[in-house]
Amino acid sequence: MHMEGQRPTQYTMGSVLRLCSMTSSLQRGEQIHGYALKTAGLESSLSVDNSLVTMYAKCGAILDANRVFDSMQNRNVITYTALIVGYAQNGKGLYSLLLYDQMISAGIAPDYITFIGLLFACSHTGSLEKGRSYFNSMDNIHGIKPGAEHYACMIDLLGRSGNLSEAKQLLDQMDVEPDATVWKSLLGACRMHKELEMGEMAAKELFELEPKNSMPYVMLSNLYSAAGRWEDAAKIRKLMKCRGISKEPGSSWTQANGKTHTFVSEDRSHPMMARIYSKIDEVIALIKEAGYVPDMSFVLHDMEREGKELGLAYHSEKLALAFGLLVVPSGAVIRIYKNLRVCGDCHTAFKYISSLYDRHIVLRDSNCFHHFVDGKCSCGDYW
């Protein structure tokens, strides 16, 4: 468009910003934001501002999303919902609940997506009674029929809080047919609380609904492993192989000098791998002195302790972080992305590293953003 002399409209900008949101292209999104500020007619567009709030929130730059929100003269349900969801996904769920109250006070009615963000926020802050209240108000007050996404959030909320029986009861009473997302929420809660019997039932439902998805097989295998039932875990892995189902490999990636650097567990293919492994050894030794103890429950194979420790030390997210410590300038945020849920041991290690190396680390896993600062995570260890 630029080469042909065409001037982008607010709709063009909104579309490109949405693409930045989908691909977590924060740097490109910032450039587009700068362009919009300098271009007459775009600097005060509600559509562009809404896209900016969404882009910053979905790229893990929640403070920038908040700054755009505060600068806006006009806001609508999309504006509020974008930040409500953004807060929830960035470990600031309590801010989501406060912002919802502001939205209602401003006379703006919530929509279907607003409640997904609210219930997700409740699930990740343990706000059980608030979640029940929001869920009940959907149809009774706002005339919005709960969908599978809302039920999944409620089942996740109930399951996380240990109310697995109530979660199963809600699933049985759903007004819509439970889909895979709902069963995954129940299975995830069972994994968290090591509830084998209900976990087996949820996994079997998922085997039928998504026969080629490796997730229920892996989670059930992990449940068996955590319980020390190594033979049952091996049977599940064998069943996967017989059915031609391959596990999605865990990978983590980070960007430096305009390039994306991707790592898998115990990866040795990167050109800087010797320095990366040396850095990991340094980091692990340092955080152990500070009190870090490797959590062997996250090793899902039966092996000697030394092998388990090495396996944990070389997880993909730790390799990506070691690389970041080597190449990202001091004071700059280290941003890491992971395609699966972050390992609990890595989560603990990252807290220690953020404190001892005085770094702000942002890790986006398959569930949410984790902001590690001064030895703490924005999720409050509840993710």
Side-chain angles (χ1 to χ4, degrees):
M1 287 181 70
H2 278 292
M3 290 177 67
E4 294 184 6
Q6 297 293 324
R7 185 177 181 277
T9 67
Q10 57 180 286
Y11 304 107
T12 313
M13 302 298 284
S15 297
V16 178
L17 286 168
R18 280 192 291 276
L19 179 59
C20 292
S21 301
M22 293 166 60
T23 57
S24 298
S25 302
L26 177 59
Q27 186 175 12
R28 180 59 61 85
E30 290 172 333
Q31 293 170 352
I32 295 168
H33 186 187
Y35 176 85
L37 290 172
K38 297 174 185 176
T39 306
L42 296 177
E43 72 278 10
S44 59
S45 162
L46 179 60
S47 173
V48 173
D49 284 344
N50 283 344
S51 297
L52 282 167
V53 173
T54 301
M55 184 275 296
Y56 279 123
K58 288 191 174 182
C59 289
I62 191 63
L63 292 179
D64 292 313
N66 193 78
R67 289 189 190 99
V68 174
F69 180 90
D70 287 342
S71 71
M72 294 172 65
Q73 295 181 348
N74 298 307
R75 305 182 184 111
N76 58 13
V77 63
I78 297 173
T79 319
Y80 280 94
T81 296
L83 196 54
I84 285 171
V85 173
Y87 278 142
Q89 292 178 334
N90 281 271
K92 295 182 178 292
L94 293 177
Y95 286 86
S96 297
L97 311 189
L98 292 172
L99 187 60
Y100 177 72
D101 292 339
Q102 293 178 28
M103 176 180 167
I104 298 300
S105 297
I108 298 175
D111 63 12
Y112 188 95
I113 306 298
T114 309
F115 282 105
I116 295 177
L118 279 175
L119 294 174
F120 184 91
C122 290
S123 175
H124 289 258
T125 55
S127 303
L128 183 57
E129 293 308 316
K130 279 278 191 182
R132 287 185 175 126
S133 175
Y134 292 139
F135 185 78
N136 292 330
S137 73
M138 286 184 64
D139 195 10
N140 296 336
I141 298 176
H142 301 286
I144 300 172
K145 292 287 185 183
E149 303 98 327
H150 304 103
Y151 280 105
C153 287
M154 273 305 297
I155 288 168
D156 186 59
L157 170 58
L158 292 166
R160 283 171 179 269
S161 61
N163 294 283
L164 285 166
S165 297
E166 186 179 349
K168 179 60 169 60
Q169 184 179 15
L170 179 63
L171 188 151
D172 292 336
Q173 296 173 350
M174 283 178 59
D175 292 332
V176 295
E177 189 69 22
D179 63 7
T181 306
V182 174
W183 286 108
K184 286 174 185 175
S185 295
L186 184 62
L187 179 55
C190 292
R191 178 197 53 77
M192 176 180 290
H193 294 286
K194 298 180 173 59
E195 172 53 57
L196 261 174
E197 184 177 350
M198 195 178 294
E200 288 174 329
M201 176 198 66
K204 288 175 182 176
E205 290 287 342
L206 286 165
F207 292 165
E208 297 293 327
L209 287 169
E210 295 184 342
K212 292 299 182 182
N213 188 347
S214 65
M215 176 268 195
Y217 293 90
V218 173
M219 291 192 74
L220 183 56
S221 175
N222 291 356
L223 259 173
Y224 285 136
S225 297
R229 291 172 54 173
W230 304 106
E231 289 186 7
D232 288 324
K235 286 179 182 178
I236 293 296
R237 292 195 294 271
K238 184 177 180 181
L239 180 61
M240 283 181 65
K241 187 175 181 179
C242 290
R243 293 180 176 179
I245 300 168
S246 58
K247 175 183 178 294
E248 181 183 5
S251 63
S252 300
W253 59 97
T254 188
Q255 294 179 339
N257 302 319
K259 295 182 179 179
T260 299
H261 301 260
T262 303
F263 303 89
V264 296
S265 290
E266 302 187 44
D267 191 354
R268 296 185 183 273
S269 62
H270 195 278
M272 289 178 57
M273 198 49 67
R275 292 180 62 195
I276 290 170
Y277 271 75
S278 177
K279 191 68 176 178
I280 286 181
D281 293 340
E282 169 204 307
V283 167
I284 297 299
L286 188 62
I287 64 177
K288 277 185 175 180
E289 289 180 8
Y292 161 75
V293 178
D295 190 339
M296 300 305 175
S297 67
F298 291 97
V299 179
L300 303 175
H301 299 284
D302 193 14
M303 61 177 68
E304 296 297 324
R305 180 179 179 85
E306 184 178 356
K308 289 183 177 182
E309 282 204 33
L310 289 175
L312 288 174
Y314 302 144
H315 276 188
S316 66
E317 52 266 59
K318 288 195 183 85
L319 294 175
L321 179 54
F323 173 75
L325 290 170
L326 288 168
V327 302
V328 177
S330 178
V333 177
I334 299 175
R335 297 183 182 275
I336 299 169
Y337 304 87
K338 183 174 172 65
N339 63 332
L340 304 177
R341 187 178 186 270
V342 62
C343 153
D345 178 76
C346 290
H347 191 272
T348 299
F350 275 36
K351 289 193 294 182
Y352 278 99
I353 295 167
S354 71
S355 175
L356 294 173
Y357 285 83
D358 192 24
R359 300 301 294 257
H360 179 184
I361 305 163
V362 178
L363 170 64
R364 191 204 71 186
D365 67 3
S366 60
N367 206 17
C368 62
F369 282 93
H370 301 263
H371 295 256
F372 299 91
V373 180
D374 296 330
K376 298 179 181 179
C377 181
S378 58
C379 74
D381 301 334
Y382 199 82
W383 78 98

